[in-house]
């Protein structure tokens, strides 16, 4: 679970405070180790429950009951696997829109913003939150809205850790918490109480924060996500007070709850591994970090992979160094036994036993090397994902610059043409040429010219960015259904439809408004294009992926 509401400071607190205390008792980790050993069974039970819930969804016949079933599936997946959680909350939004239920729609958008934040899709989360009219929210929904905003600030601060932007996000976070606690809501609202506790910690009152969270924790059992959040937050506040034993105690409780509840969007186990490494318990730190990395990869969050990548190399290096040291020690031991064996016949038996042990160590070493290779491959995948994200950001900047320049130029031209038209009409009015004035006002020639000017500018701007767009689209179409562009034209109407889809405008009404066409016409264009596609199911997805 998330370590606390100040995740940026956690690593610093652990690093400087570890020297003040000894390693916790090995018995403290007994239940945690047992849960890790039984994790395959826990995951299998979770998967079986999900299968049953999906079967229940398939049996629902009304939109309201389908919404409830989809919401339950989202809640099951929200801390388990990002891709599935995203798919189910998207279905919730679609059904809420179909029902016209504003409360359900706001609830689903809040869920979507939360899941996008956990996956480190900050821009998308902010965009989703901006679609919510806070004046139409219930008091509980309003608190949840602001809590989602604070979560987003936390993830942004974590993502920007080590830069000057991180401190600004923390300042915004503290200010937003002060705003939340002034909202009038029932004081048994858990989000409100969590915010009150964090606000007290902001005010240098960690003991009051811990006391409040301890009372709140009694309402939940280990395995609940809120239990994991509360205990991880308490661990941070104990570190603020300098009580590192208390911090480790609640970190362990949080990690146990994550494992019991199959919560794979977590961080407590990673923080325990980091501290154990600093305390010299390399073997247990290595085992815990492997579980944390596997959970991050399964859930699909880039942020947790980035955080793990800062810790994994030092643990892996120390673990391998320890193994190599053990290997060297074994070699010296074998040499000593060999000398003894030369003098004592009975030493032959001892040497034989040691050789068997040596072979087992080699097998373990090979297994460890294979595990290291897999972890390195996973880290490589994470780096590749970051490169892809950077490429998308660069493409968006290119689109923004091109279209801003075109928009400014086109707006200026429309203003000039409008002014010329106004002056011409004024002259007709001044000269009392009412018939000519009437003809000019009835004429659609001016509007058509402006539309043509818009299309020309759109075509030129789009093809500057994607010069081979039509050729790439034709590769997706059957031989007899390819798009032909006439001489002197840049794009046809149907290729403009595809161009708008490529830049992210997929709603039929929006496309119709831009192209001055009816909704039926746009629907017909899209249907005919899909019918001519080589692969009809993913035709538009392939169009969105064109990048040249």
């Amino acid at each position: 679970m998330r370590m606390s509401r100040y995740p940026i400071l956690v690593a610093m607190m652990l690093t400087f405070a570890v020297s003040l205390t000894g390693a916790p008792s090995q018995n403290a980790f007994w239940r945690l180790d047992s849960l890790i050993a039984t994790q395959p069974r826990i995951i299998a039970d979770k998967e079986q429950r999900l299968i049953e819930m999906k079967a229940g969804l398939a049996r629902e016949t009304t939109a309201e009951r389908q919404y409830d079933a989809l919401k339950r599936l989202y809640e099951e997946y929200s801390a388990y696997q990002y891709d599935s959680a995203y798919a189910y909350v998207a279905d919730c939004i679609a059904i809420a829109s179909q029902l016209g239920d504003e409360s359900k729609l706001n609830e689903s958008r809040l869920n979507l913003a939360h899941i996008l934040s956990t996956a480190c899709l900050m821009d998308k989360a902010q965009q989703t939150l901006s679609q919510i009219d806070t004046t139409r929210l219930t008091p509980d929904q309003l608190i949840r809205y602001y809590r989602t905003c604070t979560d987003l600030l936390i993830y942004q601060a974590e993502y920007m850790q080590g830069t000057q932007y991180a401190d600004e996000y923390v300042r915004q976070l503290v200010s937003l918490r002060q705003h939340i606690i002034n909202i009038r809501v029932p004081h048994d609202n858990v989000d409100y109480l969590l915010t009150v506790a964090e606000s007290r910690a902001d005010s240098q009152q960690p003991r009051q924060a811990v006391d409040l969270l301890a009372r709140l924790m009694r309402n939940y059992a280990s395995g609940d996500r809120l239990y994991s959040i509360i205990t991880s937050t308490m661990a941070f506040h104990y570190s603020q007070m300098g009580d590192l034993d208390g911090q480790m105690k609640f970190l362990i409780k949080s990690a146990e709850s994550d494992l019991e509840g199959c919560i794979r969007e977590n961080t407590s186990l990673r923080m325990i591994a980091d501290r154990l490494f600093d305390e010299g318990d390399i073997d247990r730190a290595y085992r815990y970090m492997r579980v944390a990395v596997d959970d991050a990869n399964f859930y699909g969050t880039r942020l947790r992979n980035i955080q793990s990548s800062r810790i994994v190399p030092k643990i892996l290096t120390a673990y391998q160094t320890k193994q190599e040291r053990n290997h060297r020690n074994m070699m010296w031991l074998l040499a000593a036994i060999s000398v003894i064996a030369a003098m004592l016949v009975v030493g032959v038996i001892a040497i034989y036993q040691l050789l068997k042990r040596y072979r087992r160590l080699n097998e373990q070493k090979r297994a460890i090397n294979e595990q290291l290779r897999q972890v390195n491959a996973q880290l490589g995948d994470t780096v590749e994902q970051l490169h892809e994200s950077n490429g998308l950001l660069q493409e968006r900047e290119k689109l923004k610059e091109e279209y801003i320049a075109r928009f400014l130029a086109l707006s200026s031209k429309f203003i000039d043409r409008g002014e010329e038209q106004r002056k011409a009409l004024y002259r007709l009015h001044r000269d009392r040429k009412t018939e000519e004035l009437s003809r000019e006002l009835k004429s659609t020639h001016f509007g058509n010219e402006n539309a043509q000017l818009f299309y020309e500018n759109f075509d030129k701007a789009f093809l500057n960015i994607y010069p081979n767009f039509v050729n790439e689209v034709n590769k997706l179409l059957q031989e007899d259904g390819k798009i032909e562009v006439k001489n002197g034209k840049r794009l046809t109407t149907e290729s403009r439809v595809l161009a708008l889809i490529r830049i992210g405008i997929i709603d039929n009404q929006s496309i119709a408004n831009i192209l001055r066409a009816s909704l039926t016409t746009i629907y017909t264009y899209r249907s005919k294009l899909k019918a001519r596609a080589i692969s009809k199911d993913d035709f538009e997805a392939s169009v969105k992926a064109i990048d040249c």
Side-chain angles (χ1 to χ4, degrees), residues 462-463 465-478 481-483 485 491 495 498 502 532-535 538-548:
F462 184 82
L463 291 176
I465 299 171
Y466 304 106
N468 300 317
F469 180 75
V470 176
N471 292 336
E472 294 298 318
V473 168
N474 281 335
K475 292 178 182 178
L476 305 174
L477 299 174
Q478 299 172 7
K482 296 187 181 300
I483 297 174
V485 180
L491 293 175
S495 59
L498 294 177
R502 173 59 188 86
R532 287 152 49 192
I534 297 172
S535 176
D538 59 358
F539 171 65
E540 290 191 357
S542 299
V543 169
K544 292 179 184 177
I546 293 174
D547 61 356
C548 62

Side-chain angles (χ1 to χ4, degrees), residues 148-402:
T148 304
C149 291
T150 63
D151 287 345
L152 179 58
L153 287 171
I154 289 170
Y155 287 118
Q156 287 173 318
E158 287 183 325
Y159 193 75
M160 294 294 181
Q161 186 173 351
T163 71
Q164 69 271 26
Y165 303 108
D167 293 337
E168 176 58 29
Y169 286 127
V170 171
R171 284 192 292 271
Q172 293 179 30
L173 183 63
V174 172
S175 175
L176 183 56
R177 284 174 179 155
Q178 288 298 318
H179 174 73
I180 294 173
I181 64 176
N182 292 323
I183 298 175
R184 299 175 64 87
V185 294
H187 284 194
D188 60 350
N189 181 294
V190 63
D191 286 329
Y192 177 83
L193 293 174
L194 283 170
T195 305
V196 171
E198 292 156 2
S199 180
R200 289 177 181 173
D202 293 340
S203 303
Q204 304 302 315
Q205 298 174 313
R207 171 53 65 184
Q208 292 186 21
V210 166
D211 292 342
L212 175 58
L213 291 172
R215 292 194 298 273
L216 185 60
M217 185 177 68
R218 299 190 194 106
N219 300 325
Y220 303 95
S222 182
D224 292 340
R225 193 175 189 194
L226 277 171
Y227 183 92
S228 297
I229 293 174
I230 292 168
T231 49
S232 65
T233 306
M234 289 179 72
F236 172 71
H237 294 324
Y238 271 108
S239 73
Q240 282 187 309
M241 294 185 291
D243 184 351
L244 296 188
D245 288 339
Q247 179 199 29
M248 179 61 83
K249 172 184 174 182
F250 283 96
L251 273 178
I252 292 172
K253 285 181 179 292
S254 179
E256 290 172 350
S257 178
D258 289 338
L259 292 167
E260 279 187 272
C262 225
I263 298 168
R264 308 193 78 168
E265 200 291 294
N266 59 64
T267 191
S268 295
L269 196 61
R270 172 174 56 81
M271 299 306 298
I272 293 173
D274 192 22
R275 178 165 164 181
L276 288 174
F277 171 81
D278 291 335
E279 293 172 352
D281 191 347
I282 305 300
D283 291 337
R284 181 172 270 114
Y286 174 76
R287 291 200 309 274
Y288 289 176
M289 183 54 68
R290 278 184 54 202
V291 176
V293 169
D294 288 344
D295 282 349
N297 287 329
F298 182 86
Y299 182 78
T301 169
R302 289 173 291 174
L303 178 59
R304 298 305 179 215
N305 277 324
I306 292 169
Q307 291 172 330
S308 296
S309 69
R310 297 169 184 156
I311 305 172
V312 167
K314 67 178 183 181
I315 294 179
L316 291 180
T317 300
Y319 187 78
Q320 191 170 22
T321 300
K322 180 179 179 181
Q323 294 301 310
E324 291 173 353
R325 184 170 59 251
N326 290 340
H327 178 70
R328 288 194 300 271
N329 292 339
M330 183 59 63
M331 294 301 294
W332 281 106
L333 182 61
L334 285 174
I337 292 176
S338 296
V339 172
I340 296 172
M343 298 181 292
L344 301 171
V345 175
V346 73
V348 174
I349 299 174
I351 292 173
Y352 174 74
Q353 295 299 323
L354 287 170
L355 286 174
K356 288 175 62 177
R357 185 178 177 185
Y358 174 69
R359 284 194 294 270
R360 286 196 300 271
L361 285 174
N362 276 339
E363 291 173 358
Q364 293 175 0
K365 182 178 178 180
R366 284 194 294 271
I368 291 168
N369 286 337
E370 176 61 22
Q371 293 167 355
L372 289 174
R373 184 191 63 78
Q374 292 175 1
V375 171
N376 285 333
Q378 292 169 353
L379 290 175
D381 291 341
T382 301
V383 172
E384 182 62 27
Q385 291 172 1
L386 290 175
H387 286 323
E388 291 176 1
S389 298
N390 287 335
L392 288 173
L393 290 173
Q394 291 173 358
E395 178 184 347
R396 289 174 184 169
E397 287 300 317
K398 181 179 177 184
L399 280 168
K400 183 175 17 175
E401 292 172 3
E402 176 72 19

Side-chain angles (χ1 to χ4, degrees), residues 438-535:
S438 177
R439 282 196 302 272
E440 285 296 324
L441 292 173
K442 291 178 180 179
S443 174
T444 61
H445 177 71
F446 184 72
N448 291 336
E449 282 185 349
N450 284 338
Q452 187 60 35
L453 180 61
F454 168 74
Y455 295 146
E456 288 175 0
N457 275 267
F458 174 80
D459 293 352
K460 186 173 181 181
F462 184 82
L463 291 176
N464 279 347
I465 299 171
Y466 304 106
N468 300 317
F469 180 75
V470 176
N471 292 336
E472 294 298 318
V473 168
N474 281 335
K475 292 178 182 178
L476 305 174
L477 299 174
Q478 299 172 7
E479 191 62 34
D480 57 351
K482 296 187 181 300
I483 297 174
E484 295 182 5
V485 180
K486 297 179 181 180
N487 293 335
K489 286 192 174 182
R490 292 179 176 273
L491 293 175
T492 63
T493 301
E494 64 180 5
S495 59
R496 288 192 190 108
V497 172
L498 294 177
L500 290 171
I501 291 173
R502 173 59 188 86
I503 63 175
I505 302 174
I506 59 175
D507 178 62
N508 283 338
Q509 186 63 60
S510 298
I511 296 173
N513 292 340
I514 293 172
L515 297 183
R516 296 167 61 86
S518 68
L519 190 61
T520 302
T521 300
I522 299 304
Y523 178 80
T524 302
Y525 271 124
R526 293 179 76 165
S527 298
K528 287 182 177 180
L529 284 165
K530 187 177 292 187
R532 287 152 49 192
I534 297 172
S535 176

